[in-house]
RNA sequence: GGGCCCUUCGUCUAUCGGUUAGGACACCAGAUUUUCAUUCUGGGAAGAGGAGUUCGACUCUCCUAGGGCCUACCA
């Protein structure tokens, strides 16, 4: 085994947002590097100038940053290294590991169809031919071996074998002289000293061809680990209709980054019975070798459960800021009175919340202004008898400290005093306090409202 | 068409030839509770199918079925 310090990298192509599967790949790369005391790098694969956009680069950086996946060095932009790539191809040409292919688009298409019909890999007739005009338009293709086989010792899949005859002569340099992905990855990974390539399952086939390129250069082939993709709840490829694909969408849905990290790490990887674990634990336990071979499905219910756990632990001021953001995104603002002691309210309301959006929703009954309009169900609860009882309750409560415990006790004491169970007026109390919106238990609701507002709401309804 | 990969409860997973196949989420039931929620207790739930290797297979091999990825001058 190589004694070199571990270097991993995440290499997204900036053609869109940061996909949740990509985010997990990035996370695994970082965890593995940290676990081994190595280095985690980021490289933007923007060799496709047509499809790469600056907006996508920004979205990816933002997504990674939000998730807390931070590279140990400045990101490398692949397109900036095109000269180096071209130079590398020239050496391949000189050593006979590449050739100039003058096939036209039409000829290539015909050749491709023929190959497919015969059930074999496509090969260019220019493999062993030289054009009399070397300046005629052409691409440069890799000249792979026609015999033998290439074996990948994949860290998660195990040994994978390919017959070289099945591997086609991929394009290294396009007609316009631009390097292609398969060439650029190899050169860059080598130049960056990458020791472990951890990437999506969809690259296994490339692994064989890239191995051949490494060998043509005479370079050491890095260890590889191909991790399965994340599918939607129904097992199909994750798409729009499953709710979300981009990490930014998860952020907007009120998920906490630490919850996301925990959930994503646990998806396709496990450490015994551990379900909830810290970043430090993840780093000390994680090894790509323990990643599961089969694709995993995104389970919203479990994500919600994990998120609820982290919300319970989260700092209230921080949650308050997130909730403000959620509300602002809806184009709404919090009343000053509520905003001022938001963190205190959140401590009262975050129990059971599965996302910060839930917290925002639970704020609804607090935000309402007097006099509340009660829904039909609440109105129905207000009989003559109950009104009278509630107004006696208001008096009773006037002298009580507005904190959960004393209020809880006071309500019970009042019930005893009235000679009835709390059930006799509890629902009605809730009704006049919330108007029908979801609200927490009575003592908590009362505390959240504060003495003046709470008493005011009761009096409004009974007078 | 060709190449490669995958297959344990509904879902995420444990098991590294010998287990009553374990845990978590979800679900169901009961308890608590002023509703919902929370909390607590209990419950149902799995080795795709078929051969083989072996004293013994979820675990190893092969076949079948199902699913996925690749098959670009995209990455």
């Amino acid at each position: 085994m190589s004694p070199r310090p571990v270097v991993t990298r995440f290499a997204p192509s900036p053609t869109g947002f940061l996909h949740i599967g990509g985010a997990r790949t990035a996370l695994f790369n970082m965890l593995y590097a940290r676990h081994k005391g190595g280095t985690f790098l980021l490289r933007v694969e923007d060799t496709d100038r047509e499809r790469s956009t600056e907006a996508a680069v920004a979205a990816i950086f933002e997504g990674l940053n939000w998730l807390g996946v931070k590279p140990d060095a400045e990101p490398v932009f692949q397109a900036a290294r095109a000269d180096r790539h071209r130079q590398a191809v020239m050496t391949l040409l000189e050593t006979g590991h590449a050739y100039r292919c003058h096939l036209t688009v039409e000829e290539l298409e015909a050749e491709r169809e023929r190959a497919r019909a015969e059930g074999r890999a496509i090969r260019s007739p220019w493999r062993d031919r030289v054009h009399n005009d070397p300046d005629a338009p052409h691409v440069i293709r890799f000249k792979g071996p026609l015999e033998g086989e290439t074996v990948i010792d994949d860290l998660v899949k195990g040994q994978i074998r390919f017959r070289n005859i099945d591997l086609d002569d991929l394009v290294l340099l396009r007609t316009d002289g631009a390097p292609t992905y398969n060439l650029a990855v190899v050169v860059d990974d080598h130049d960056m000293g990458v020791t472990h390539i951890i990437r999506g399952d969809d690259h296994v086939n490339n692994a064989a061809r890239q191995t051949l390129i490494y060998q043509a250069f005479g370079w050491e082939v890095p260890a590889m680990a191909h991790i399965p993709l994340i599918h939607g709840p129904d097992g199909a490829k994750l798409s729009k209709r499953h709710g979300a694909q981009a990490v930014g969408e998860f952020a907007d849905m009120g998920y906490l980054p630490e919850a996301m990290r925990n959930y994503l790490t646990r998806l396709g990887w496990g450490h015994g019975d551990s379900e909830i674990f810290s970043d430090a634990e993840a780093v000390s336990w994680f090894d790509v070798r323990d990643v599961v071979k089969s694709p995993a499905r995104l389970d919203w219910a479990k994500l919600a459960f994990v998120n609820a756990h982290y919300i319970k632990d989260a700092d209230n001021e921080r949650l308050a800021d997130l909730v403000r953001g959620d509300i602002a995104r809806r184009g709404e603002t919090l009343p000053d009175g509520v905003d001022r002691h938001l963190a205190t309210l959140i401590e009262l309301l975050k129990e059971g919340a599965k996302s910060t959006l839930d917290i925002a929703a639970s704020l609804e009954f607090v935000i309402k202004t007097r006099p509340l309009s009660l829904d039909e169900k609440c109105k129905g609860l207000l009989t003559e008898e109950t009104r009278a009882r509630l107004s006696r309750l208001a008096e009773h409560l006037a002298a009580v400290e507005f904190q959960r415990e004393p209020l809880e006790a006071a309500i019970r004491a009042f019930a005893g005093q009235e000679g009835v169970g709390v059930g006799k007026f509890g629902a009605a109390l809730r009704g006049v306090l919330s108007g029908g919106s979801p609200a927490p238990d009575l003592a908590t609701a009362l505390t959240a409202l504060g003495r003046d507002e709470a008493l005011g709401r009761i009096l409004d309804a009974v007078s």
Side-chain angles (χ1 to χ4, degrees):
Chain A
M1 220 30 231
S2 129
R4 284 192 288 163
V6 166
V7 177
T8 65
R9 51 53 162 190
F10 175 55
S13 68
T15 52
F17 50 75
L18 176 60
H19 191 273
I20 197 69
R24 186 180 63 149
T25 303
L27 193 52
F28 282 2
N29 270 287
M30 181 179 77
L31 287 174
Y32 189 68
R34 299 256 192 284
H35 175 74
K36 294 288 185 187
T39 310
F40 166 60
L41 304 175
L42 177 60
R43 183 177 66 232
V44 180
E45 311 245 301
D46 52 355
T47 46
D48 185 344
R49 306 311 288 166
E50 297 279 300
R51 300 197 306 152
S52 300
T53 67
E54 261 175 57
V57 173
I60 289 168
F61 284 4
E62 194 189 326
L64 289 174
N65 191 48
W66 176 79
L67 225 209
V69 174
K70 301 207 172 35
D72 298 317
E74 285 301 303
V76 170
F77 287 83
Q78 194 161 64
R81 296 174 38 82
D83 286 341
R84 160 66 176 143
H85 298 146
R86 271 188 285 275
Q87 173 254 318
V89 173
M90 289 313 134
T91 71
L92 247 27
L93 219 41
E94 286 160 19
T95 56
H97 289 292
Y99 62 93
R100 299 175 196 274
C101 169
H102 296 266
L103 240 34
T104 64
V105 184
E106 298 74 38
E107 290 170 336
L108 216 206
E109 193 49 48
E111 177 58 35
R112 205 195 312 284
E113 259 173 54
R114 203 173 314 133
R116 191 186 175 93
E118 291 171 26
R120 57 170 176 82
I122 170 172
R123 230 100 213 178
S124 166
W126 289 95
R127 190 170 224 273
D128 301 301
R129 224 196 296 169
V130 177
H131 197 98
N132 37 29
D133 175 12
D135 289 331
H138 64 276
V139 299
I140 295 180
R141 286 182 183 276
F142 182 66
K143 191 169 186 176
L146 299 175
E147 293 171 347
E149 58 177 18
T150 297
V151 180
I152 311 291
D153 276 311
D154 195 281
L155 261 25
V156 348
K157 305 261 182 198
Q159 206 171 66
I160 307 172
R161 325 180 77 95
F162 294 85
R163 281 188 305 273
N164 290 148
I165 192 70
D166 292 327
L167 273 15
D168 56 14
D169 292 352
L170 65 237
V171 172
L172 266 17
L173 231 48
R174 302 179 171 102
T175 308
D176 65 0
T180 60
Y181 162 78
N182 276 299
L183 182 271
V185 230
V186 172
V187 174
D188 289 348
D189 281 336
H190 174 260
D191 289 0
M192 291 164 75
V194 173
T195 58
H196 296 256
I197 296 175
I198 301 172
R199 81 235 290 193
D201 223 349
D202 48 338
H203 285 289
V204 272
N205 295 278
N206 288 329
R209 314 197 219 178
Q210 287 165 18
T211 296
L212 255 19
I213 297 178
Y214 274 102
Q215 289 165 350
F217 278 121
W219 295 338
E220 187 181 343
V221 184
M224 297 185 186
H226 291 92
I227 63 179
L229 274 18
I230 296 178
H231 288 169
D234 58 356
K237 190 171 176 172
L238 197 63
S239 68
K240 259 265 180 297
R241 95 194 131 80
H242 291 120
Q245 303 168 267
V247 299
E249 295 179 79
F250 287 84
D252 289 349
M253 281 189 272
Y255 294 104
L256 262 24
E258 61 269 40
M260 219 55 210
R261 255 178 273 145
N262 191 149
Y263 177 73
L264 249 24
T265 304
R266 185 69 183 77
L267 195 60
W269 173 84
H271 183 263
D273 289 341
S274 303
E275 296 291 343
I276 300 289
F277 40 79
S278 67
D279 291 326
E281 286 172 320
V283 166
S284 79
W285 295 335
F286 188 83
D287 192 315
V288 250
R289 284 163 236 264
D290 297 326
V291 171
V292 168
K293 297 173 167 191
S294 52
R297 302 181 185 198
L298 183 66
D299 182 356
W300 292 101
K302 183 144 184 190
L303 208 208
F305 167 82
V306 174
N307 201 46
H309 172 88
Y310 282 96
I311 281 181
K312 230 170 288 172
D313 278 1
D315 175 72
N316 295 320
E317 292 291 352
R318 175 184 168 215
L319 289 175
D321 283 338
L322 291 172
V323 168
R324 285 190 187 98
D326 291 337
I327 291 173
R329 217 173 299 118
R330 290 202 310 241
E332 296 167 19
T333 49
L334 248 22
D336 275 357
V338 173
D339 192 83
R340 213 169 309 124
H341 58 290
L342 224 207
T344 322
L345 279 174
I346 285 178
E347 172 58 28
L348 257 20
L349 302 174
K350 68 178 180 179
E351 179 85 19
K354 294 185 186 313
S355 71
T356 56
L357 258 34
D358 278 0
I359 298 179
S362 70
L363 236 28
E364 203 177 296
F365 88 97
V366 182
I367 294 170
K368 291 188 171 179
T369 52
R370 291 175 50 203
L372 267 52
S373 59
L374 310 185
D375 66 17
E376 289 308 310
K377 200 175 158 200
C378 295
K379 280 187 203 159
L381 259 15
L382 288 177
T383 60
E384 209 51 44
E385 187 194 1
T386 306
R387 279 172 198 268
R389 184 166 284 132
L390 286 184
S391 84
R392 286 196 295 279
L393 175 65
E395 277 175 49
H396 183 84
L397 256 26
V400 177
E401 185 197 356
F402 263 59
Q403 292 296 324
R404 270 206 269 207
E405 317 269 288
L407 283 167
E408 178 81 46
I411 291 171
R412 290 194 184 286
F414 176 74
Q417 192 177 305
E418 293 276 313
V420 297
V422 180
K424 203 71 183 162
F425 60 89
L429 210 212
R430 167 188 308 285
V432 305
L433 290 177
S434 70
S437 297
D441 67 88
L442 293 177
T444 305
L446 253 8
T447 310
L449 256 16
R451 171 179 277 108
D452 294 348
E453 180 70 22
L455 260 26
R457 289 189 184 188
I458 297 174
L459 265 14
D460 284 346
V462 300
S463 56

